[in-house]
Amino acid sequence: MSHLAWPRLSAPESARPSGYRADIDGLRALAILLVVTYHVWLGRVSGGVDVFLMVSAFFLTASFVRRIQSERPFALGPFWLRRFRRLLPAAAVTIVGVLAVALLAYPQTEWPRVWGEAWSSLFYVENWTLAFSEVDYYARASVTPSPFQHFWSLSVQGQVFLLWPLIIGGVWLVLRRRRALIVPALALVFGAIFVGSMVFSVVETMHAQSFAYFDTRTRLWEFAAGSLVALALPHIRVSAWSASALGWIGIIGIVLCGIVLDVQGGFPGYLALWPVVCTALVIVAGRDRPRGGPAVLLESGPLRYVSRDAYALYLVHWPVLVTWMVLSGRSEPGWLAGLGIVLISFVLARLVSMLVERPIRDAVIFDRSHRLGALVLAAAVLMVSVPLATWQIVVEQRESALMASDTGGYPGAAQVDEPIDLTGVDLPLIPLATALDEEWVDLKGSCREELPPTESALEGTCAQSEKAGDADAWQVLVMGDSHAQQLMSPLAALAGEQEWGVTALLKGGCSIGIGAPTWSASGAPCEEWRAAALEYAARTQPDAVYLVVTRATPSAPEVLVEGIQEIADELISQGIEVIAVRDNPRFDFDMYECVLEVSESVHGSEAVPCDVAEVEFAAEDELDALAATTGVIPVDFRPWLCPDGICRGVIGNVAVYIDDNHISDTYGRTLAPMLRSMLDAGGYSGASAG
């Protein structure tokens, strides 16, 4: 965790500011040790981050108050330049190191995430990237966490390092002629931020904890608490005995926080008061260094040793741990492996601190010349952005060249019915591992011009093709979850050929059914959204509705979606045909990563080790009854997903899936001729329109 005073940790006594607190240096060192220990050996979050957040605001506020009281220039520009000059270079070196390791050792499927989060970490917005990915149903799941995940707290602090001086400067600007009122006014402002952010934090944590954990707004009260302690500390008097007792209570509370509380699953609501209050106790208790207080621990040699590299240790320990996970295929290191991870982290931290952080921090020339200081920041940004952008461009050009080539070696689903000899064909698997985010089916247009949804629950979930709403074109409405979206791929391809109109109401985790399970984490509740989708169908009267009517699971028998027969009957009664699509198979492993690994080790193979026997249907008579309903056109892609009863991960040199349960758009488009045949066999009304 970066914080305001870390760059001063090893400064000589003469160079330390008047507000220097050796015990707080030790407290930060203790907190980073807790963070590393909990991450490596306990697989938990310690609460040490909250200590860092509060302490950073404590020093920041105290520093500016001293500046105001001594009537020194406010100088926000030079302050920001110094602050980020001391923080960014070490972070940039860490980011570049992670990029190099990712290029050499990480699966290619991880590269897009590494790219995106490297940019976010460089520009101090990683917390928002992680927050939105937590509620993004379409974010690619990974067995390992991001090597940049720990940059979320650095990002929050970077944002506060910009915001807090503006707040303090604003109060100073208003009251600069009445200086006696500045500190009371700051107390009121930070008190209001504390209350407002705390209330917001509690509410958001209750309703969207995974988003709230990374949300800057839910963390502002922790910074405000540090500022309030800084403002109040000169006026607090505590007896030596009480201070000693309170200090030790605070230390014990900080150490036990991650054991007693579910930090990752319950923070940052009111539970985060635990580490914040404990930190406040240590700060207040240590002001006069009472005999018998925790200063004897916090100012000890071992913690002083850790404190000199604390920032660098935080930067490097998490990527080292994640890289070990990637290389070992394990998520929890034992004591021996964990010890190796910690030792490597200490060595790397020493190198980063000695070769990058301290030389740039201590160079007087950068303090004397703001221009040179700005060049340091520019160099740090270029150090990351040039290789990162180059890497992305090279891969994107490779993807474009491959997709533009007409090799004839990618028959996809056609290989099942009319196999061609692919023996010895030296072509890479498509889609490429770095292009999976582009494999989600997208109609490219929102529903604003034609057939706009009036139901508020459908906001942001409606898309349409160019011919949607055209009275002369056959109109199909697709409704459902991400499986309906991906199984819409052959329909989208066919509609483009036949000039049909396609409208899609799609919400990840919400299948169309009565009482169907919900997996959506954001937006309107599924029941409300389903009802609105059916109302939309009744109002717009498409020629046909395209529905996924079954639900597959990796091991249990496939079943009909709850209430789908009743929904089909209702749509048919309104003169709307129902294209009843059977779900695709699902697996308990990432099928794409499996076939990619096999194709790289045995080039040109059909990835036999990844093949899975098809799971039977629970009650075929129910499915047959639905298919036999007048007005229902059954569509079953299983013969081309699981030929001869074996579900394959790659067919005709094309990856069938992009993860463990969604088919790829590239393969889905090769199913368009099969869909046309099934629609013809079902006697669909679009024959004349086609």
Side-chain angles (χ1 to χ4, degrees):
M1 231 45 63
S2 73
H3 20 71
L4 185 62
W6 270 3
R8 304 190 187 112
L9 288 179
S10 57
E13 293 291 340
S14 61
R16 287 170 177 165
S18 59
Y20 174 75
R21 289 274 301 270
D23 61 322
I24 298 182
D25 269 353
L27 177 61
R28 283 192 297 257
L30 175 63
I32 185 60
L33 288 176
L34 289 174
V35 168
V36 173
T37 300
Y38 275 65
H39 280 168
V40 173
W41 282 299
L42 301 181
R44 293 172 64 92
V45 179
S46 67
V49 168
D50 303 270
V51 176
F52 300 151
L53 300 184
M54 182 175 175
V55 168
S56 64
F58 170 82
F59 275 107
L60 178 62
T61 304
S63 172
F64 272 102
V65 168
R66 286 194 299 271
R67 183 174 300 185
I68 291 171
Q69 292 174 338
S70 62
E71 300 188 10
R72 284 182 290 160
F74 216 73
L76 286 184
F79 164 78
W80 283 324
L81 196 60
R82 274 194 315 274
R83 185 56 46 222
F84 287 101
R85 190 194 82 216
R86 294 173 175 180
L87 299 175
L88 186 57
V93 168
T94 303
I95 294 171
V96 170
V98 173
L99 292 176
V101 173
L103 174 62
L104 297 173
Y106 281 39
Q108 293 183 36
T109 51
E110 292 293 315
W111 288 1
R113 180 173 67 159
V114 168
W115 296 337
E117 294 194 23
W119 288 115
S120 298
S121 299
L122 177 63
F123 293 108
Y124 290 89
V125 292
E126 170 69 353
N127 64 308
W128 291 112
T129 296
L130 292 173
F132 286 108
S133 69
E134 286 292 323
V135 296
D136 181 5
Y137 183 87
Y138 297 93
R140 181 173 174 80
S142 178
V143 295
T144 56
S146 165
F148 294 116
Q149 184 167 303
H150 64 316
F151 270 84
W152 77 265
S153 63
L154 306 181
S155 298
V156 171
Q157 290 181 82
Q159 294 159 32
V160 170
F161 287 160
L162 294 175
L163 176 62
W164 245 232
L166 290 175
I167 293 174
I168 298 172
V171 172
W172 169 81
L173 188 63
V174 172
L175 299 174
R176 64 187 184 280
R177 299 186 186 280
R178 305 182 67 182
R179 291 181 177 273
L181 297 179
I182 290 179
V183 170
L186 286 174
L188 287 175
V189 170
F190 288 124
I193 293 174
F194 179 90
V195 173
S197 174
M198 166 65 83
V199 172
F200 179 81
S201 179
V202 171
V203 173
E204 188 172 82
T205 300
M206 290 174 58
H207 293 92
Q209 188 276 330
S210 57
F211 188 94
Y213 190 87
F214 301 109
D215 190 338
T216 302
R217 299 167 298 177
T218 64
R219 299 286 182 171
L220 291 180
W221 68 269
E222 297 184 74
F223 291 96
S227 296
L228 291 172
V229 171
L231 297 173
L233 189 60
H235 310 287
I236 297 176
R237 295 291 179 267
V238 182
S239 67
W241 183 91
S242 298
S244 177
L246 291 175
W248 282 113
I249 290 173
I251 292 294
I252 294 171
I254 290 171
V255 172
L256 295 179
C257 176
I259 296 176
V260 176
L261 301 179
D262 177 14
V263 175
Q264 187 164 350
F267 273 38
Y270 65 89
L271 290 179
L273 281 168
W274 180 310
V276 167
V277 170
C278 289
T279 303
L281 292 178
V282 175
I283 293 174
V284 171
R287 185 187 62 175
D288 299 321
R289 299 185 76 255
R291 179 177 297 181
V296 66
L297 169 66
L298 299 178
E299 298 179 21
S300 64
L303 287 184
R304 281 180 175 272
Y305 179 84
V306 173
S307 69
R308 66 177 182 171
D309 301 329
Y311 175 44
L313 180 59
Y314 182 79
L315 284 173
V316 303
H317 87 281
W318 183 254
V320 172
L321 174 60
V322 171
T323 299
W324 176 87
M325 293 179 182
V326 171
L327 296 177
S328 68
R330 295 161 53 193
S331 59
E332 297 180 3
W335 285 101
L336 186 59
L339 181 61
I341 291 168
V342 171
L343 290 176
I344 292 173
S345 299
F346 268 97
V347 171
L348 292 176
R350 183 89 281 271
L351 292 174
V352 170
S353 179
M354 180 175 63
L355 300 178
V356 181
E357 180 192 349
R358 292 174 63 185
I360 294 176
R361 177 196 71 196
D362 296 337
V364 178
I365 189 173
F366 296 133
D367 287 323
R368 291 176 179 173
S369 172
H370 298 327
R371 180 174 297 178
L372 289 178
L375 286 176
V376 170
L377 291 183
V381 171
L382 289 174
M383 180 193 304
V384 175
S385 58
V386 170
L388 177 54
T390 301
W391 185 9
Q392 288 184 266
I393 290 171
V394 168
V395 172
E396 289 171 0
Q397 288 178 340
R398 175 179 172 235
E399 292 172 359
S400 299
L402 178 62
M403 299 311 294
S405 63
D406 184 14
T407 64
Y410 295 105
Q415 181 72 2
V416 176
D417 295 332
E418 300 177 5
I420 62 176
D421 186 8
L422 296 175
T423 304
V425 175
D426 188 17
L427 292 173
L429 181 73
I430 62 170
L432 295 178
T434 51
L436 297 185
D437 288 343
E438 302 167 14
E439 287 296 304
W440 291 102
V441 182
D442 185 3
L443 294 181
K444 307 298 184 183
S446 63
C447 295
R448 294 179 181 173
E449 298 178 1
E450 300 291 343
L451 306 175
T454 58
E455 300 80 0
S456 60
L458 301 180
E459 183 178 356
T461 67
C462 186
Q464 64 186 27
S465 68
E466 183 179 352
K467 289 288 185 177
D470 187 335
D472 296 327
W474 194 53
Q475 298 295 319
V476 185
L477 172 62
V478 181
M479 299 191 298
D481 57 9
S482 58
H483 279 238
Q485 179 173 348
Q486 293 309 96
L487 289 169
M488 176 178 70
S489 179
L491 174 66
L494 187 59
E497 297 172 4
Q498 302 295 318
E499 296 190 344
W500 297 339
V502 178
T503 302
L505 295 175
L506 302 168
K507 182 174 174 62
C510 296
S511 59
I512 297 296
I514 300 174
T518 293
W519 287 280
S520 178
S522 61
C526 281
E527 287 297 338
E528 181 181 343
W529 181 85
R530 290 169 184 142
L534 292 171
E535 290 176 8
Y536 179 89
R539 177 170 60 83
T540 59
Q541 287 291 299
D543 295 295
V545 170
Y546 192 89
L547 298 176
V548 176
V549 298
T550 68
R551 180 183 304 109
T553 58
S555 55
E558 184 181 1
V559 297
L560 280 180
V561 172
E562 294 82 348
I564 196 65
Q565 181 70 61
E566 290 83 349
I567 290 174
D569 291 341
E570 177 63 27
L571 291 171
I572 293 168
S573 69
Q574 299 174 27
I576 302 172
E577 292 179 309
V578 174
I579 303 174
V581 183
R582 189 178 175 187
D583 196 9
N584 60 263
R586 309 186 192 207
F587 312 98
D588 55 9
F589 62 94
D590 190 314
M591 179 62 84
Y592 183 90
E593 290 190 355
C594 179
V595 299
L596 180 65
E597 182 178 348
V598 171
S599 66
E600 289 178 344
S601 59
V602 186
H603 195 73
S605 77
E606 286 292 301
V608 174
C610 305
D611 292 351
V612 176
E614 183 178 6
V615 177
E616 64 181 3
F617 198 86
E620 291 194 12
D621 55 333
E622 295 180 0
L623 181 61
D624 292 341
L626 175 63
T629 303
T630 302
V632 169
I633 303 172
V635 169
D636 186 357
F637 295 114
R638 288 300 181 98
W640 301 276
L641 299 175
C642 304
D644 301 321
I646 302 298
C647 302
R648 299 179 184 173
V650 54
I651 298 175
N653 274 349
V654 180
V656 182
Y657 301 90
I658 58 175
D659 51 27
D660 61 347
N661 71 107
H662 296 98
I663 71 168
S664 68
D665 184 33
T666 301
Y667 188 78
R669 287 181 172 275
T670 69
L671 291 167
M674 296 74 175
L675 174 62
R676 179 60 190 257
S677 296
M678 286 184 278
L679 293 178
D680 287 341
Y684 76 112
S685 62
S688 58

